[in-house]
């Protein structure tokens, strides 16, 4: 199953990279990429600070998309040309890192809204910064509906730095493949990623 997960990730990369390359002929090897774990970067607004506990390393700390937008000039001044955001999709409880995806087509409310993401991408592009969005296809959140409602949407579990017994999408199921491609396309269309 690991090879299938890697194959889909490669397939998605081949699907998305030509779109990026057509839009901008720069070589990605020349980019300087600043990776941002959204929840740990900067808290701009308290309106999304529920369940925040900065003393608990496994809880949300309050970083949000608006905080990243505010720091784009700083990132550019450091010499970076691209920002890579940790997954911003809706996550399960305590999924501050973004890697316990619960819904592939909505923004995690702790991080902000789709309008906040659109604004971040627009402001980044205005500053000639590219934006990469992590899109996790190797596993879902531990309690993802696929694992409990529809067994043919998962192909076992995996253990990785983000947790144990995480459901692995079943890439032999064409519906799963189609859903994930549609979800990736959704983020490109909705947020100009």
């Amino acid at each position: 199953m690991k090879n299938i997960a890697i194959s889909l990730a490669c397939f998605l990369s081949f699907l998305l990279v030509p779109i990026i390359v057509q839009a901008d002929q720069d070589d990605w090897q020349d980019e300087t990429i600043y990776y941002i774990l959204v929840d740990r970067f900067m808290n701009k607004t308290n309106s999304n600070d529920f369940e925040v506990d900065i003393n608990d390393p496994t809880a949300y700390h309050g970083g949000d998309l608006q905080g990243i937008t505010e720091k784009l000039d700083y990132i550019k001044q450091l010499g970076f040309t691209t920002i890579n955001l940790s997954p911003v999709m809706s996550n399960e409880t305590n999924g501050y890192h973004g890697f316990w995806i619960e819904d592939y087509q909505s923004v995690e409310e702790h991080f902000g809204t789709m309008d906040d993401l659109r604004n971040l991408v627009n402001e980044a592009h205005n500053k000639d910064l590219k934006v990469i969005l992590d899109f996790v296809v190797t596993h879902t959140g531990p309690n993802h509906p696929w694992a409990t409602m529809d067994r043919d949407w998962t192909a076992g579990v995996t253990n990785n730095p983000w947790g144990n017994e995480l459901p692995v999408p079943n890439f032999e199921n064409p519906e799963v493949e189609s859903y994930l491609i549609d979800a990736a396309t959704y983020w490109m269309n909705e947020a100009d990623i």
Side-chain angles (χ1 to χ4, degrees):
M1 292 306 151
K2 184 176 182 182
N3 290 341
I4 294 169
I6 291 169
S7 295
L8 181 61
C10 290
F11 173 73
L12 286 172
S13 295
F14 287 120
L15 175 71
L16 301 177
V17 169
I19 295 168
I20 294 168
V21 171
Q22 288 174 3
D24 188 345
Q25 294 299 317
D26 292 341
D27 289 334
W28 280 94
Q29 66 194 16
D30 297 331
E31 298 297 319
T32 307
I33 301 172
Y34 191 93
Y35 185 82
I36 299 173
L37 186 61
V38 175
D39 180 67
R40 297 304 201 252
F41 188 70
M42 182 180 168
N43 188 0
K44 171 66 175 167
T45 179
N46 293 330
S47 65
N48 53 11
D49 283 354
F50 59 96
E51 301 171 350
V52 167
D53 182 354
I54 61 171
N55 296 313
D56 180 355
T58 66
Y60 285 94
H61 286 193
D64 50 43
L65 299 167
Q66 292 175 335
I68 297 167
T69 303
E70 184 171 292
K71 291 296 186 180
L72 290 174
D73 286 330
Y74 166 76
I75 294 168
K76 184 150 178 99
Q77 288 171 359
L78 291 174
F80 291 95
T81 60
T82 303
I83 59 171
N84 182 3
L85 304 177
S86 62
V88 299
M89 293 86 183
S90 180
N91 264 246
E92 294 183 20
T93 302
N94 292 331
Y96 72 89
H97 41 68
F99 288 90
W100 287 355
I101 295 175
E102 181 175 58
D103 180 355
Y104 278 92
Q105 294 188 17
S106 67
V107 174
E108 170 55 49
E109 59 188 334
H110 287 94
F111 304 153
T113 66
M114 181 60 80
D115 285 339
D116 294 329
L117 181 60
R118 286 183 191 116
N119 184 55
L120 166 59
V121 173
N122 186 53
E123 290 297 315
H125 290 169
N126 287 341
K127 297 175 187 309
D128 294 321
L129 290 168
K130 294 174 182 71
V131 180
I132 299 171
L133 181 64
D134 272 6
F135 186 80
V136 181
V137 296
T138 55
H139 65 274
T140 66
N143 301 303
H144 194 281
W146 292 354
T148 57
M149 292 177 18
D150 198 348
R151 288 287 181 201
D152 68 334
W153 278 60
T154 59
V157 295
T158 188
N159 300 321
N160 63 40
W162 303 111
N164 295 321
E165 304 292 312
L166 299 175
V168 175
N170 180 4
F171 300 113
E172 293 180 7
N173 180 340
E175 290 179 282
V176 172
E177 181 179 336
S178 177
Y179 175 86
L180 291 171
I181 291 170
D182 288 347
T185 303
Y186 169 84
W187 292 100
M188 290 187 299
N189 291 336
E190 290 297 316
D192 199 22
I193 296 294

